[in-house]
Amino acid sequence: MKGIKDITPDEMPGWNIAERTAHALAHAFGFREIRIPIFEKTDLYLRTLGHATDLVEKEMYTFPDRDGTSLTLRPEGTAGVARACIDQRLVPHPASRKLYYLGPMFRHERPQAGRHRQFHQFGVESIGSADPHADIEVIALLWTYLTALRLPGLALEINSLGHPPDRRNYTAALVSFLNGKEAHLCGNCRRRMEINPLRILDCKVPQCRDAMQDAPSLPNFLSPSSRQHFDRVQHGLRILDIPYTLNPRLVRGLDYYVQTTFEVSCSALGAQNAIGAGGRYDGLFQKLGGPAAPGVGFAIGLERVLLALPGDALPPPAPWVFIASFGDKGKAAGLSLLYALRAQHIKADTDHQASTLKTLLRAAHRLGAPFVAIIGDDEVADDRMILRDMTTKEQEIHPLGTATSAIISRLR
Ligand code: HAM
């Protein structure tokens, strides 16, 4: 299907690294995992993401439930996490404030490299603190994650949209600046003038960029408290040596953002070079009828992480053993050894169809087994197992009774 792809076993080592690093670093930063449903009532997204956003207008997978209730496959995770926190009364309990999630999201976008209709995000939400340190913490986690995976050419851009009144003042100034310039804007932006003028700021169409050249600058409209918040965020990033540039046009595509917004791009990606992004969303919980809990978070697109992951980021495959057992007694001893190793979480496999040493070794070779344990009837009679290193061709002999522990220590 267009924009929906399988992840094959060959691709899994990269995914495992990306996901394992996400779990490890999220935990190191004090975030706890949450799993939210894949679909929600459509109303959740209409109330949080904004009616006039591309996401809501064009990209949601929406369908009626059997009773007619409108449902939507989750296009992002923040709204669902906020809903879950309210339903489960997780806020304002302090231990529940820092949450993370991994999983698929769904957007009906035009597929291209790095843009899919089903894609995966690693996201975090820090809920309950309006302090700039919460912003610094999530940006630091985003940056630490991407740099831990050694993704090349990362660039962090940040901006502040201010409090809602700052934003309203700015929007009014922007609309009056654009009055009379409608003819210079693309069709999309002419429509945005009516419904969501801020989005004109990050339109990539050259004619819109030209028209916006002398547009009023958003930072000039920040209230003293918004400015102070943003200054403190930047101060923290400098202390942590996280390089960033200011982009006063970074408004982001979702309506819930206020104050800090940020985005990281990666030079290894093509046109879709935003690898992770986020911002603050104070006010979102109230929109959903919850407590006045401020929040800040990010989400990273894992398909894009995988595209940018350097080849040497993958660890070498873990060593494992192929059990080459033959003859009635040999097969029985081999079977016991096979399952004893597996019970110890040691990868062990065999080919139950092959019945001679020659065919067994051929199967081991085909599977790329680094070690082979050889047990025939003769070995059982002599109480021994031969362990062959397939790379060096060296062989060791061990008593059958200690075969499991001998293999485990050899593999380690
Ligand atoms: P977003 O910018 O819409 O933010 O998505 C975050 C990341 O998801 C993007 O930077 C990109 O890497 C990836 N992504 C988005 N759409 C696609 C797609 N069609 N195919 C592949 N990857 C994609 C959010 O989703 C917010 N919920 C982030 C957030 C969390 N803000 C606060 N908390």
Side-chain angles (χ1 to χ4, degrees):
M1 254 199 300
K2 234 176 147 190
I4 314 263
K5 65 192 247 350
D6 301 305
I7 302 170
T8 63
D10 283 348
E11 295 171 286
M12 279 317 294
W15 281 86
N16 290 151
I17 285 281
E19 291 176 354
R20 236 182 284 134
T21 308
H23 286 293
L25 284 176
H27 280 282
F29 276 68
F31 286 76
R32 299 197 304 157
E33 187 174 8
I34 184 167
R35 296 198 184 177
I36 51 167
I38 301 278
F39 60 84
E40 299 268 0
K41 288 187 183 156
T42 304
D43 183 52
L44 172 69
Y45 301 115
L46 299 182
R47 283 160 74 186
T48 51
L49 307 183
H51 284 268
T53 55
D54 284 354
L55 225 181
V56 166
E57 281 193 331
K58 305 185 228 164
E59 297 170 3
M60 295 206 304
Y61 281 94
T62 297
F63 53 95
D65 201 351
R66 285 174 188 276
D67 66 0
T69 313
S70 180
L71 301 175
T72 293
L73 294 183
R74 61 184 190 193
E76 60 99 57
T78 311
V81 169
R83 196 246 345 113
C85 284
I86 295 168
D87 285 357
Q88 306 306 325
R89 299 184 198 286
L90 297 180
V91 277
H93 189 280
S96 302
R97 281 183 177 171
K98 301 199 307 188
L99 303 168
Y100 77 95
Y101 49 91
L102 284 153
M105 307 291 162
F106 306 85
R107 297 183 191 177
H108 192 278
E109 293 194 81
R110 199 165 43 78
Q112 64 183 87
R115 191 161 71 190
H116 309 277
R117 291 180 174 174
Q118 173 173 333
F119 61 98
H120 296 75
Q121 282 186 344
F122 160 40
V124 314
E125 313 296 348
S126 174
I127 295 154
S129 171
D131 194 282
H133 279 109
D135 311 39
I136 295 163
E137 184 173 52
V138 298
I139 297 174
L141 174 49
L142 169 69
W143 191 254
T144 306
Y145 175 78
L146 297 172
T147 50
L149 292 172
R150 295 190 285 114
L151 305 188
L154 296 171
L156 166 67
E157 291 186 335
I158 61 171
N159 189 24
S160 174
L161 302 177
H163 291 294
D166 310 345
R167 219 167 113 160
R168 275 196 293 279
N169 291 340
Y170 177 69
T171 307
L174 188 64
V175 169
S176 78
F177 166 79
L178 287 169
N179 259 332
K181 295 193 176 62
E182 290 87 343
H184 302 290
L185 299 176
C186 71
N188 242 346
C189 284
R190 278 204 290 278
R191 232 170 40 82
R192 285 173 175 148
M193 269 213 38
E194 303 296 321
I195 52 174
N196 197 353
L198 275 189
R199 287 311 310 275
I200 302 175
L201 280 176
D202 67 356
C203 179
K204 306 281 185 290
V205 175
Q207 73 187 78
C208 297
R209 296 208 148 216
D210 289 348
M212 294 292 283
Q213 207 122 68
D214 300 319
S217 174
L218 206 156
N220 294 340
F221 287 74
L222 295 184
S223 63
S225 78
S226 297
R227 186 176 302 283
Q228 194 194 29
H229 182 99
F230 195 41
D231 286 346
R232 288 182 59 201
V233 171
Q234 293 181 57
H235 182 63
L237 297 181
R238 285 195 298 271
I239 290 177
L240 297 179
D241 270 336
I242 298 176
Y244 65 89
T245 52
L246 297 175
N247 176 358
R249 299 195 165 193
L250 184 71
V251 291
R252 311 265 304 121
L254 306 167
D255 261 11
Y256 51 58
Y257 290 118
V258 293
Q259 306 263 49
T260 317
T261 56
F262 49 89
E263 189 167 290
V264 178
S265 60
C266 172
S267 66
L269 300 172
Q272 299 304 316
N273 67 352
I275 199 152
R280 188 163 264 293
Y281 47 83
D282 306 350
L284 180 69
F285 278 74
Q286 283 139 297
K287 268 192 201 156
L288 293 175
V296 55
F298 69 73
I300 292 173
L302 293 183
E303 277 74 6
R304 296 185 188 178
V305 168
L306 267 289
L307 277 177
L309 200 64
D312 61 358
L314 300 182
W320 63 280
V321 64
F322 182 96
I323 310 294
S325 56
F326 49 98
D328 288 346
K329 294 202 174 82
K331 277 256 175 247
L335 207 61
S336 302
L337 178 59
L338 179 68
Y339 285 93
L341 288 164
R342 288 172 170 180
Q344 300 291 322
H345 300 203
I346 298 296
K347 181 177 167 184
D349 214 339
T350 190
D351 181 339
H352 293 291
Q353 254 91 60
S355 55
T356 63
L357 182 58
K358 196 171 158 194
T359 50
L360 282 160
L361 288 178
R362 206 181 295 142
H365 184 71
R366 202 172 46 242
L367 292 172
F371 292 94
V372 176
I374 300 169
I375 311 173
D377 285 350
D378 289 351
E379 279 69 33
V380 175
D382 297 345
D383 184 28
R384 63 195 177 107
M385 175 240 7
I386 301 169
L387 184 60
R388 181 183 292 184
D389 181 327
M390 296 294 274
T391 317
T392 62
K393 305 290 178 228
E394 279 167 18
Q395 302 200 142
E396 297 170 11
I397 295 175
H398 297 278
L400 272 177
T402 56
T404 309
S405 54
I407 291 174
I408 292 175
S409 58
R410 188 70 182 79
L411 295 193
R412 284 188 181 140

